[in-house]
Amino acid sequence: MPKSDGKSSSINTNKNDSLKQTTMGNFFSGSKPAKKPSMKKKKSVLDDESSYFTSYRRNDLEQYRLGYPGKKDNKKLQDNMKFYKNEMKSYPDGDFIDNIHKNWWGDYERLERHHGYVQWLFPIRETGMNFHAQELQMFEIEKIMDDPKAFARVLKSYEMMLDFYGMKLDEKTGQVSRAKNWKARFSHLNRSYHNYLRITRILKFLGEFGYEHYKRPFVEFTLQEAMEHETLENTLESCVRYWLETIKSEEDREQLKDYIRKMEAGYNSPDDETNGKELVSSAKVDKMVEKSLENQKEVEKRKLEDESGEDIDEASNEEWKKKEEKMKRNSQKEEKERLGIDSEETKGKEGTGAEMSDKEKGDVAALLKAEEKMMEGKKDPKNETDMETDNVDDQGSKMDTS
């Protein structure tokens, strides 16, 4: 039997943990560097549409994972058991299973164009497209697994189809790797969509015969080829929608989905030259970082100028001086208004030839008169009462004229 070429991901062969045959996040040597993803959100292959067909597919796969609850055996249906014991031929245009394994292996044209043999080689507990083939019965599974020769043919059928797809199997672990002719076979698989339905059946078949732990290695291998190496990119949707969902372990399914999310987010492989240091980037982010660095340099430059006292930016300094003078004038004006004296402003207006209104002239005259009397009162305390009387008269006359 073929052995692994040593380039596949690491394997967990713990017998007590048979469902975890591989560890997600592994990469083949010679991986392509991960592309820098765009910041624009893209639709994930995990985003599932909502339709009747989607609901049917989900229900079909869930029923399989649960073991078809309520489904009963029909003891009269024994063709699958007889075929795997090499006691009867497959129909139509088929042969005994040993002859198929011997004569059809490597006959890629026949394996591609013949459509009846798949339901015989990979019977499942569902009705198929070949009405000559029967649904697999639970008692048949037990009989085949109890017969060493018949049970050996189960794995032989899987290996023959892997060879057809350009892959090979490590029987001890279930690990899948590239065959020597993988380039030509991968190219064929990328455009032969009816084989995607066959693979779903094959994976369900493996689970019925005690090879559940073989599913994850196949799915993981396909995901890596599709997402990392871009050699099986056309299989990605079927792999995610169907093949991955045949895995009964919810933990394994979630780990595989997590791998898909990371690959979509732009995680790099360990052998990439960036070594995972730059996991997510884009042209837009690069420009933002560059601009930020420029701003930091400008701040540092101005800080040094302030410490040295040098006026490098003359335009900026001149503008600040104008603002400072304006603030000073406003402060002086507010102080004069608080004291009730605005003689400097009045002089400024007179000096410039600006004409004052009658009200402004009256206000200035009243202020000057009040100031004059105040000064006289300070010189002669006896006139203090007269000054108060005059103020009252002035106020009274103003009130009358109003």
Side-chain angles (χ1 to χ4, degrees), residues 192-401:
S192 181
Y193 296 101
H194 75 97
N195 274 289
Y196 303 170
L197 297 173
R198 291 175 170 181
I199 291 173
T200 302
R201 171 178 280 269
I202 291 170
L203 292 174
K204 287 182 176 181
F205 166 81
L206 289 175
E208 299 290 7
F209 284 89
Y211 289 109
E212 176 67 28
H213 59 287
Y214 274 25
K215 295 178 186 176
R216 176 169 175 165
F218 178 87
V219 174
E220 183 174 342
F221 172 80
T222 308
L223 287 174
Q224 289 174 333
E225 290 291 345
M227 301 192 77
E228 185 182 357
H229 304 288
E230 299 179 359
T231 54
L232 288 174
E233 60 271 26
N234 290 349
T235 68
L236 184 58
E237 185 173 352
S238 291
C239 185
V240 174
R241 298 274 191 270
Y242 293 90
W243 308 343
L244 186 153
E245 294 297 332
T246 67
I247 298 173
K248 295 180 181 179
S249 167
E250 184 178 357
E251 182 180 357
D252 279 10
R253 293 199 308 272
E254 287 305 314
Q255 287 177 0
L256 289 164
K257 290 176 183 178
D258 184 56
Y259 167 76
I260 293 169
R261 294 186 190 99
K262 288 179 179 179
M263 289 302 298
E264 288 180 332
Y267 275 52
N268 296 322
S269 61
D271 54 348
D272 184 10
E273 59 183 4
T274 59
N275 197 26
K277 293 179 180 178
E278 186 182 11
L279 298 181
V280 180
S281 183
S282 71
K284 184 176 181 180
V285 172
D286 291 342
K287 288 181 180 179
M288 290 170 64
V289 171
E290 185 179 350
K291 183 64 177 177
S292 176
L293 292 173
E294 290 177 359
N295 291 340
Q296 290 180 35
K297 289 180 181 179
E298 184 65 23
V299 170
E300 290 297 323
K301 178 183 176 183
R302 289 184 177 277
K303 186 177 180 181
L304 291 173
E305 289 171 1
D306 291 340
E307 292 176 354
S308 63
E310 296 178 358
D311 294 332
I312 304 298
D313 193 346
E314 294 293 341
S316 178
N317 288 339
E318 188 64 28
E319 184 179 356
W320 175 251
K321 285 179 182 179
K322 290 179 180 179
K323 289 182 179 179
E324 199 172 32
E325 289 175 1
K326 186 176 180 180
M327 291 170 62
K328 187 176 181 181
R329 286 198 303 270
N330 290 339
S331 179
Q332 289 174 346
K333 183 178 179 181
E334 289 174 1
E335 182 66 19
K336 288 177 181 179
E337 289 176 353
R338 187 178 67 82
L339 296 173
I341 301 173
D342 199 11
S343 58
E344 288 295 323
E345 184 177 353
T346 303
K347 290 178 183 179
K349 286 184 178 181
E350 292 173 350
T352 58
E355 292 194 9
M356 300 172 64
S357 66
D358 292 339
K359 186 177 185 305
E360 288 177 330
K361 290 178 181 179
D363 291 342
V364 170
L367 288 170
L368 291 174
K369 185 177 180 180
E371 186 178 1
E372 185 178 350
K373 285 185 177 183
M374 187 184 294
M375 295 302 294
E376 289 176 355
K378 286 183 179 180
K379 292 178 182 178
D380 189 359
K382 294 179 182 180
N383 294 334
E384 187 175 343
T385 304
D386 295 336
M387 182 183 70
E388 290 177 358
T389 304
D390 290 339
N391 287 337
V392 172
D393 292 341
D394 290 336
Q395 293 173 10
S397 63
K398 287 179 182 179
M399 290 176 68
D400 291 341
T401 56

Side-chain angles (χ1 to χ4, degrees), residues 1-2 105 155-163 169 171:
M1 295 298 173
W105 191 304
L155 212 54
K156 193 79 170 178
S157 296
Y158 180 46
E159 288 184 283
M160 185 182 77
M161 293 307 290
L162 284 181
D163 176 76
L169 177 71
E171 284 189 30

Side-chain angles (χ1 to χ4, degrees), residues 125-138:
R125 298 176 66 197
E126 301 173 22
T127 302
M129 299 298 291
N130 183 356
F131 66 88
H132 291 287
Q134 298 176 353
E135 287 187 18
L136 180 65
Q137 306 299 308
M138 285 298 296

Side-chain angles (χ1 to χ4, degrees), residues 74-92 95-97 117 119-124 130-141 143-144 150 153 205 209:
N74 185 343
K75 297 292 184 180
K76 295 181 180 180
L77 303 179
Q78 301 184 15
D79 286 358
N80 295 302
M81 178 183 65
K82 291 178 180 179
F83 174 72
Y84 258 88
K85 288 190 173 184
N86 208 41
E87 296 174 358
M88 68 175 292
K89 293 182 178 180
S90 61
Y91 291 92
D95 205 339
F96 291 102
I97 189 170
Y117 72 94
Q119 287 77 19
W120 288 89
L121 282 182
F122 306 102
I124 57 176
N130 183 356
F131 66 88
H132 291 287
Q134 298 176 353
E135 287 187 18
L136 180 65
Q137 306 299 308
M138 285 298 296
F139 79 89
E140 290 185 299
I141 297 173
K143 293 292 185 180
I144 291 171
R153 295 181 182 113
F205 166 81
F209 284 89

